[in-house]
Structure formats: C-alpha cells, structure tokens
Amino acid sequence: MEQNTASDLIQTTKDSVQKGVETIRDNAGHLSDDARVYLQDQIENLSVRLEDLSQQVKDRAVQVNDHIRTNPYMYLLSALGLGFVMAKITQTRH
C-alpha cells in the first residue's frame, strides 16, 4: 500500500517535471543560446536527480516492507500501544 502511494507520488512528480520541461522548451524560442544551453543542462540534472530519488524511494519501500514482513508482531504491538496512548491522550475527563 505504501509502495503504491510512493509510486504514485513519484509518477506525479515525473509528470510535473515533464510538463515543466515542455513549457520551458515551448517558451525557449526567445532566449539566448547561452540561456537555452543552461536551462537544458539544468533540466538534465533535474531529470537525473529525479530518477535517483525515484529509485531510492522504491528501494526504501521494499526495505520497509521486508522489515515489516519479518517482524509483524513488533509492528502490531507498536500500533496497539500507539493506539492506546492516543486514546488516553484524547480521552475526555468529566
């Protein structure tokens, strides 16, 4: 479930970057050659960084999933304990 959410976030970010790239390319006609080259370099750097971050998120999601699968009772007890604490904190006193 978390992996799908992370994948959705990554895809949304990629789509946003792609739209930004297209907008810059569409409006780059009036820019100087130096500015155009600079922007293209920055776009390339952002694309590479986005791919790296995308892979890191995917790897981390797999690690978390594997850890939860190997220690399910620890996470279950932690969730129950957190629920108990939250219930005590939000409990009204009359």
Side-chain angles (χ1 to χ4, degrees):
M1 187 173 214
E2 287 183 35
Q3 193 170 8
N4 289 339
T5 303
S7 296
D8 293 342
L9 179 60
I10 291 168
Q11 188 59 46
T12 301
T13 305
K14 283 182 178 180
D15 293 343
S16 296
V17 169
Q18 186 61 36
K19 286 179 185 176
V21 168
E22 290 170 5
T23 301
I24 290 171
R25 285 185 180 148
D26 291 344
N27 295 321
H30 65 282
L31 295 176
S32 70
D33 288 336
D34 291 340
R36 189 175 298 118
V37 169
Y38 175 78
L39 286 174
Q40 287 175 345
D41 288 344
Q42 292 304 312
I43 289 169
E44 181 63 29
N45 290 339
L46 286 173
S47 296
V48 168
R49 181 72 177 138
L50 181 60
E51 287 298 321
D52 289 344
L53 289 173
S54 171
Q55 188 60 46
Q56 288 176 10
V57 168
K58 288 177 185 176
D59 292 346
R60 188 66 180 147
V62 168
Q63 289 175 351
V64 168
N65 190 32
D66 290 345
H67 195 266
I68 290 171
R69 287 182 187 272
T70 58
N71 301 304
Y73 296 110
M74 180 181 73
Y75 286 96
L76 178 63
L77 290 173
S78 297
L80 289 172
L82 181 60
F84 179 75
V85 169
M86 293 299 293
K88 283 294 191 184
I89 290 172
T90 59
Q91 185 178 26
T92 58
R93 295 182 184 173
H94 291 290

